Amino acid sequence: MATRLVQINMKAQDDSVLGRFWAEALGWGVDSEGPGVTNLEPVGFAYPDPAAVCIDIITRPEPKTVKNRVHIDLATTSAAHQAELVARLKDLGATLTDVGQGDVPWTVLADPEGNEFCVLEPRPVYRDTGPIAAVVVDCADPRAMARFWGEATDWTVHEVADDHASLRSTQGVGPYLEFVRTPDIKSGWNRVHLDVAPYRDGDPAEEESRLRALGATDPGIDQSSISWRILVDPEGNEFCLLSPR
């Protein structure tokens, strides 16, 4: 068996405000909203479906202090579309930000809480991904990360090199999961992380054991009050193993 990537989890000081920004940015709807939690998914979406990786925004009081190690890349279809999307995102509250990217054809922005994301120039590889081209993870060893996540999930490894690697759903739909080598060292808990879930007939306990055998480890925190499991991948990135549904 295997898990499937179902959503990314973002921490926010105000989940409702950040949720409205991302719903407008992506053209998605608010699937559910409760105290401190806002869930976003495409309108008419039937969860879980690899055609989209949903967004779960959770209120946390701690402010963002360092560059996120997980971010979203947005797809565009033309130079005009890229310029129009950047302008619209700025109107929604995004700001230009510098993460050392230099002179590149994509635009780096930050959402209203400072979470970095990119608006890419048009690329054929992302023509059918939907608004999110890729979920990108900074790492030290893209090859090792692709090996772990390719075995941890049912996603197919598409490309592997020393400085980057990419995976996509075996159904060939939805965004890519990409690993990019960076010199940054992980500092503290990731404010954005991946959430995976077993298939409906999967056993979470068996999946946890399998993930541990692949190299996942325990973050060393009390998890007695939650119904899901928090693990860390081989580079220390936290991820959640949710219940199947």
Side-chain angles (χ1 to χ4, degrees), residues 1 16 59 68 87 91 105 117 125 131 138 150 153 158 166 178 210-211 244:
M1 296 299 292
S16 182
T59 291
N68 289 334
D91 288 342
F117 66 99
V125 67
D138 292 350
T153 68
H158 275 250
S166 66
E178 298 180 351
R210 190 182 67 84
L211 291 167

Side-chain angles (χ1 to χ4, degrees), residues 99-204:
V99 293
Q101 68 268 23
D103 184 15
V104 293
W106 59 90
T107 302
V108 183
L109 298 171
D111 71 19
E113 291 213 4
N115 299 298
E116 304 86 3
F117 66 99
C118 299
V119 179
L120 302 179
E121 76 284 5
R123 303 181 191 181
V125 67
Y126 302 132
R127 68 185 180 276
D128 61 352
T129 61
I132 298 178
V135 178
V136 183
V137 182
D138 292 350
C139 66
D141 189 341
R143 291 184 183 277
M145 290 290 276
R147 186 163 52 248
F148 171 80
W149 283 100
E151 294 179 353
T153 68
D154 63 351
W155 285 34
T156 300
V157 177
H158 275 250
E159 187 176 7
V160 179
D162 289 340
D163 59 351
H164 70 279
S166 66
L167 295 79
R168 198 183 191 194
S169 161
T170 54
Q171 296 183 35
V173 297
Y176 287 78
L177 175 61
E178 298 180 351
F179 300 96
V180 177
R181 187 173 66 185
T182 65
D184 306 325
I185 297 173
K186 183 176 183 291
S187 174
W189 279 68
N190 289 345
R191 287 182 68 82
V192 182
H193 70 251
L194 308 179
D195 284 349
V196 301
Y199 278 80
R200 185 168 297 176
D201 57 351
D203 184 323

